[in-house]
Amino acid sequence: MEQLSLLDVRNKIAAGDIKTADYVRQVLSRIEKVESTVGSYINIFGDEAIDRAAQIDEKISAGQKPGALAGVPIAIKDNMCTTFGQTTCASKMLENYQSPYNATVVEKLLAADAVIIGKTNMDEFAMGSSTENSSLKKTVNPWNTSRVPGGSSGGSAAAVAAGLCSGSLGSDTGGSIRQPASFCGVVGLKPTYGRVSRYGLVAFGSSLDQIGPVTQTVSDAALLLNVIAGHDEADSTSVEQSDAPIDDYLNKINEPLDGLKIGIVRDSTEGADEDVKRSLNEAVEVYKGLGAEVVEVDMPHLDYAVAAYYVVATAEASSNLARYDGVHYGYRSPNATDYVEVYTRSRAEGFGDEVKRRIMLGTYALSSGYYDAYYLKALKVRNLIRQDFDKTFGQCDCIVTPVAPTTAFPIGQNIEDPLKMYLSDIYTIPANLAGIPGISIQAGLDSNDLPIGLQILAPAFSESKLLRIARMFEKNTQWHKSKPKIPSE
Amino acid sequence: MAKLKYKGLIGLEIHVQLATASKLFCRCAVEFAAEPNSRVCPGCLGMPGSMPVMNKQALERAILAGLALNCNIAEFTKWDHKSYFYPDLPNNYQISQYDIPVAADGYIEIETQPGQIKRVRIRRAHLEEDAGKNMHAGNYSQVDINRAGTPLIEIVTEPDMSTGAEVRAVAIELQRIVRYLGVSEADMQKGQMRFEPNINVIIEQNGDEFRTPIAEIKNLNSFRAIQGSVDYEIERQIEQFLESGTVMEMGNKSTRGWDDSRQVTVLQREKEEAHDYRCFPVQNIPPVKVTPQWFDEIRGRLCELPLSRQRRYTQQYGLSDYDARVLTAERGVAELFEAALKAGGDAKRVCNLITQAGMKLAKEAQINFDEFGIKPDKLAVLATMIDEGTVNASAGDKILTKMTQSEASPDKIAEDENLIQKSDESELEAVVDQSLAENPQAVEEVKAGGKKSKKARGFLLGQVMQKTKGQANPKVVSAILGRKLE
Amino acid sequence: MSKKIDAQQVKKVAMLSRLDLSDAEIERFASQLSEIVTYVEKMNELDTEKVEPMAHCLGITNRFGEDRPAESLGTEKALANAPDHDGQFFIVPRILEENSA
C-alpha cells in the first residue's frame, strides 16, 4: 500500500476520489498486519471508526462541505481525554478510567470530521523518553524493532511512521513530540505554549505541556495545527486571537523565506553522536544553498536547561499527580486497610518507578527548606534561558539544533539510568522552558539506517514562519520520503 | 492568693463563603444542601485534564470585602497550590493564595461600649476554594464534593482581641459588613461563615511575663459558642499554666474543638507530621492585575458600613443605640429608613414604625423589613399622618400591616379602614357636651379636684372615645374637656 | 561519600507524596535521587541573585469566566469511576478526626 500523506487523503476524500470507509478499512487492515509488531496503540476504535467513516461519506455524498480533516484517520496520545474508550496515560492508575468529557483538541478533531482511530501508547503520564515507562504496552521503533520509538509520545510517532494512521497528536513537556518524531523519522511540532488548548490533556507540567501534531510531512503538521490551534475559554492559558493571531498555516507553507537568517548555537553539539553532528552540518549547508545566512549565536545558559527543567517539571508533576489517590476515580489498592493506606498503597501500586521518582524529586524540590535552593533557583535559571532566546532571536529568524544527541537507542539501554535518560532531552527542553515553538523533521539516516532529526526553534507564536522554514528543507531534500521496513509487512 | 494579672491574646482566622452563583474555578452551581455529589464536574472533582477558570465576580467580591476591611488591595496577585491529602480535597491541593493575598493590612472596628470604638487589625484576606465534606459513618467515611470549589475569603486578624465578648463583637461586625455588601450570606449555621480563634494568655507572675501555648478552636457555629469558647479557653489556659507552668514554644500549638453541650474545649487529635504544604504558583491561572479603573469601579460598590451608620444615627437623629443598631443591621432596611427621611418622614417616627410593628411583621414573614417593598415616600406619609394626628399610633400599625400586603397609599388605607381620627372641634364638642351631660357625677369629681379628679377625667375621655368608636383625636378631646371643666 | 539524599529523607518525601515504599525501593530511590539532585545543583554555578524567577510562562493576566452556573455532571456520572461508592457518596475507610488544614 502506498502511504498517502494526510493532506492527500483529505483532498482525495473531499474530492470524492476515495471513500472514507474504504480508506479507514485499509488502515485498519494494515494495523492488523503490523500493529502486533509495533505496538503503538493502547486502544483501537475499529468498529467506531468504520461507522464514523460511513457518516462522513454520507455527508460528502449528500453534497455537504466536509471539514478540514474529512475522513482522515487520526490517532491521539492516551493522555487526552475522550468520552469513548479509556484515557489511561499508560498507567495502571487509570487503566479503567473513562473520562466524562472530551479534550478540546478531540472536540476540534471531531468537528473537522476526522476519524479518531485509536489512542496511542506513551511513557506513563508522559514521563520518559523511550515509551519504555508505559505500564500497559510495549512499543518498538518501526525502523528497528530492537530500538525504542522515543518518548513520551512514542506510540503517536510509531503509528505515523508505520502508516497506522494519517497523523497523530502528541504532547510535549520536554521534547515528548519532537524526540520520538526524530527517532521514528516523522515530523513533530511543539507549538508555542498557549497556542493549543490543554483542556483535557492530562497534566504533567502545566507550565510546559503543549499538544502538537505528529505527521509524515510539514504540510500535514500545518493542516493539523490549523484545526487544533486557538483560544479556548476552558484553558485560561490559551492565548486569545487578539494577542497572537492564528494564521492559515497551510496556506503559505510553500513560500520560501527571503533573507532567512539561521542561528546555530556555538559549542552545543559536543555531546552528540558523530552522525548527528554530520547531519546537522549537512542541513545547514542545505539552507545555505537556498540562500540563507548562517549566524553563530551564544546561549550561555542552555547548559543548565536540563537541571532547571527536572526541577520545574517534577515540582509541577508532584502536585498535578497528587489527585491520583484511589478515592474519586482510578486504581484503589485492595490491600489498603485504612484511609491513609488508600493513598499510600494505591499510589505505590498504581504508579511505575519513573512516575514515583519524579513525584518524589518534585516534592523534595518544593518542600520546606529546599524550595529556594531548587524550585526558586530553577525558575530563575528558566528566566535566564528565556532571555538567551530573546537575545538570540534578535540576531536570527530561527535556531537549528539536533533533536537528540543520539538516534533511537536500544530498548533497555537507558532504563536503569534515569539521569542518562534525562540528559538525552538536552536539545528539546529549552523550548519548553522558554515556551517557544519547535519542530523536528527528518534530516538524515545514521550508520544503522535509523532516522536523524533536525530541530528548528523559532520565537513564540511564529509557527507560520517555523513551518515555512521546515518546509523549505523538506521540499529540497528527500529524507521525508524514506520509510521504515517493518518485519511483519 | 493575690489576684492574677493576665490578658487574653486572641486572633481570628475567618472563612467566609462568597455569595456567587457558581464556584470559584468551575461553573457548577453553589447550592446548599443539594443532592450529594450532584453539583460537581471534572473541574471540582479533580478529574484528569480539567483546568480552573477564575470566577470574575468572586474575585471582585473578595476585593470589595478587602476594601470594607480597610485593606490595601494588591495591584498584582496570583494563586498557589497548597498541597495536603484529604478525601474532601479532590486534587489533594487547594488553590489558595500564599505570598500575595489579594488584600492585606487593614482593620475592622467594633464598639466595645456605646461610643467606644476598638480597632482590630486585619493581617490579610485572600481568595481560595473551599473543600468538600467528609462524613463519618461506622467504619467508613462518606465524601461529598458539592462544596468543593466554593469561593471563600480567608481573613486573618492580628491577635488584637482580649476577651470572648470582643471576639464575638468582631464576628458580628464582620457578618454585618459582608452581608451589607452582598459579599456573603454569612449564615453560620450553613457554614457560610466559620471562625477559628487562636488563643493564648499573657500572665504576669512575680514580675515576670509568661505566655501560654496557643490553642486554635474549631467547630464554632454560633456567636454564643465563639464567646463561650474563648472565655472558657482563657480560664483553662490560666489554670493549666498555674498547674504546669507550660509556656508557648515552637511546636506546642494545639487544636481544640468546642463541645457545645458541655461548654468546654476538647483537645483534638494532632497530625503527627508537621505541615509542609509545598506552595508554588498555579500555572493554569494567569496572575491578576487590578487596574486603577477596575479598582475604582469595585470601590464604587462600597457603601457606608453598619457601624459608622449606626453611630451617625445616634448623633444625627438622636436615636437610641438599640434603635440605631436594629435599623442598621440590614443594609436594605437602613436605606429604606434614610429614603423615608428624605421623603419628609420624621426620624423618630419612621424609626418607631420600622423597629416596632415593622420588625414584628418582617419576623413573621421571615424576611427583612425592606423586602416587603414598601416605597419610602409612603412610609414617610404614614409617619407624618401619625405625627399630625390624622391617625393614632395603633391605627398606624394597622395601616403599616396593610401596606405590607398591597401597594395602596396609607391615606387611602386609613380612609377605607375608617382609621382617620376626628379632629374637628365643633363636631367633637357636641359629643363632649353629651358625655358631660350624661355623667354629672364624674364632672363633679373632676371639678372637686383631689384624688379622684384624674381618674374621672380619664373616664370622661373614654366615654367620648366610645361614642366616636375610637376615632376621636384624643389630644383634641382632652383640650375640649380641659376647657369645659375649668 | 555520603548520599545527597539518604534513606531518611526518601522516607520523608515518600510520606509527603503518599507513596508506600519498600526498604529496597527506598535504597534505590535514595541513590538515584542523589545522583539527580547532585546534577541539578549544577544550577548553583550561576549567580542568580538579581534574576527574577519566571513564575509564569506567558505574560498574560486577567483571564476570567463569568459567574453563570452551567450544568454539572450529576451524581451518577460523578460516581461512575469511583472505586467505592454508595450511590450518593464516595466511600473510603473511616477517616480519623484529624484537622485537615
Side-chain angles (χ1 to χ4, degrees), chain B residues 141-152:
Chain B
S141 295
Q142 299 172 312
V143 184
D144 179 6
I145 301 302
N146 279 350
R147 196 180 69 178
T150 303
L152 290 179

Side-chain angles (χ1 to χ4, degrees), chain A residues 380 383-384 387, chain C residues 47-53:
Chain A
K380 291 178 168 189
N383 204 3
L384 290 173
Q387 289 168 12
Chain C
D47 178 6
T48 53
E49 208 181 273
K50 297 200 176 82
V51 182
E52 278 294 305

Side-chain angles (χ1 to χ4, degrees), chain B residues 199-270:
Chain B
I199 301 164
N200 70 340
V201 188
I202 301 184
I203 298 168
E204 209 185 293
Q205 198 182 42
N206 309 325
D208 287 326
E209 259 192 19
F210 300 93
R211 284 171 190 242
T212 57
I214 297 177
E216 179 174 310
I217 309 180
K218 293 188 181 262
N219 311 338
L220 300 173
N221 56 11
S222 71
F223 293 122
R224 215 172 51 90
I226 290 171
Q227 183 166 1
S229 66
V230 169
D231 288 337
Y232 173 86
E233 187 60 22
I234 289 172
E235 290 293 315
R236 191 196 65 78
Q237 290 190 9
I238 293 169
E239 272 173 40
Q240 191 187 36
F241 171 77
L242 293 176
E243 260 173 44
S244 68
T246 312
V247 294
M248 177 171 84
E249 53 193 64
M250 281 292 283
N252 74 348
K253 184 180 163 177
S254 62
T255 304
R256 302 180 72 86
W258 175 243
D259 183 334
D260 211 35
S261 56
R262 293 194 295 141
Q263 297 282 299
V264 296
T265 62
V266 183
L267 187 68
Q268 289 191 339
R269 168 186 268 271
E270 297 292 310

Side-chain angles (χ1 to χ4, degrees), chain B residues 18 20 24 55-63 127 151, chain C residues 67:
Chain B
L18 299 179
T20 50
L24 184 53
N55 182 331
K56 188 178 187 188
Q57 281 68 31
L59 175 61
E60 291 184 341
R61 282 186 167 89
I63 293 173
L127 177 61
Chain C
D67 184 27

